[in-house]
Amino acid sequence: NAGVTQTPKFQVLKTGQSMTLQCAQDMNHNSMYWYRQDPGMGLRLIYYSASEGTTDKGEVPNGYNVSRLNKREFSLRLESAAPSQTSVYFCASSADRTSYEQYFGPGTRLTVT
Amino acid sequence: GESVGLHLPTLSVQEGDNSIINCAYSNSASDYFIWYKQESGKGPQFIIDIRSNMDKRQGQRVTVLLNKTVKHLSLQIAATQPGDSAVYFCAERLSNDYKLSFGAGTTVTVRA
């Protein structure tokens, strides 16, 4: 099992460009999450998907959109990147919405210039 | 080395010593508390959890203590090893929610 995989690992964007971060899990988990991690601030939830076909906003959703493509895949899109979105992005999954143990991917380091 | 009382963002520990990492949580309605370990360049990894109806739980070389009176959580690592160097995060979950709220993290550095 690969667990949770994310692509790309690194990305540099110019302000205003768009991109999609990809996430896939092979653990047959129902719930998936996107977090961002900034220095000294821990992880903050951007969006989550409790189950296939549903998505909900987290703590910091502005400037992002998500798509739960199927049970395995959950993508995060930046429509018009801003320097404030420079961060490390982590995707995570859990068995279901009541399971508190989340499994994290290796992260995508995004720089917006 | 120990960090007792206030949450410290960094902790330097001599190899072989015990480490204590502290965390203050915010919501008295939280029912689950989890510790994650994040090594450099990797995603966080689950270490141990504790429910709010417990005050202590032990794992392999790790012990989590929960003091609900002062909303304080600690992670004790016995006989700290170089592989324990990482950032450690505590997270809490509300009983009527399923999202985790993470703390800022403590960077642990193990000295040889």
Side-chain angles (χ1 to χ4, degrees), chain B residues 37-107:
Chain B
K37 173 186 180 182
Q38 185 178 21
E39 296 176 79
S40 181
K42 297 184 179 179
Q45 183 179 15
F46 175 90
I47 302 173
I48 191 169
D49 64 287
I50 188 168
R51 294 187 65 126
S52 60
N53 61 357
M54 303 169 67
D55 52 21
K56 180 178 181 179
R57 190 168 187 213
Q58 288 185 290
Q60 187 176 11
R61 274 201 314 120
V62 295
T63 300
V64 57
L65 299 177
L66 176 62
N67 185 332
K68 293 182 288 294
T69 302
V70 295
K71 293 193 285 188
H72 183 267
L73 191 66
S74 69
L75 178 71
Q76 300 179 5
I77 304 174
T80 310
Q81 302 169 0
D84 295 326
S85 292
V87 179
Y88 291 82
F89 294 96
C90 65
E92 60 184 302
R93 193 193 75 171
L94 293 173
S95 58
N96 62 348
D97 200 351
Y98 51 91
K99 300 187 291 293
L100 295 177
S101 178
F102 286 82
T106 296
T107 300

Side-chain angles (χ1 to χ4, degrees), chain A residues 2-78:
Chain A
V4 179
T5 57
Q6 293 182 235
T7 56
K9 284 187 167 42
F10 301 93
Q11 183 72 49
V12 179
L13 292 178
K14 293 189 187 317
T15 297
Q17 288 185 317
S18 62
M19 79 161 294
T20 300
L21 280 64
Q22 306 288 352
C23 173
Q25 51 90 10
D26 62 2
M27 296 175 282
N28 201 36
H29 284 172
N30 286 305
S31 301
M32 298 185 73
Y33 312 81
W34 275 106
Y35 293 89
R36 60 177 288 172
Q37 184 176 39
D38 301 298
M41 296 188 70
L43 291 135
R44 292 184 292 169
L45 184 65
I46 305 170
Y47 269 94
Y48 61 98
S49 171
S51 60
E52 185 179 355
T54 68
T55 60
D56 287 286
K57 295 179 180 179
E59 184 184 352
V60 288
N62 291 346
Y64 305 95
N65 284 302
V66 290
S67 295
R68 183 75 184 266
L69 303 169
N70 47 54
K71 190 171 185 179
R72 288 187 64 247
E73 298 171 289
F74 188 39
S75 62
L76 178 72
R77 183 161 178 83
L78 287 70

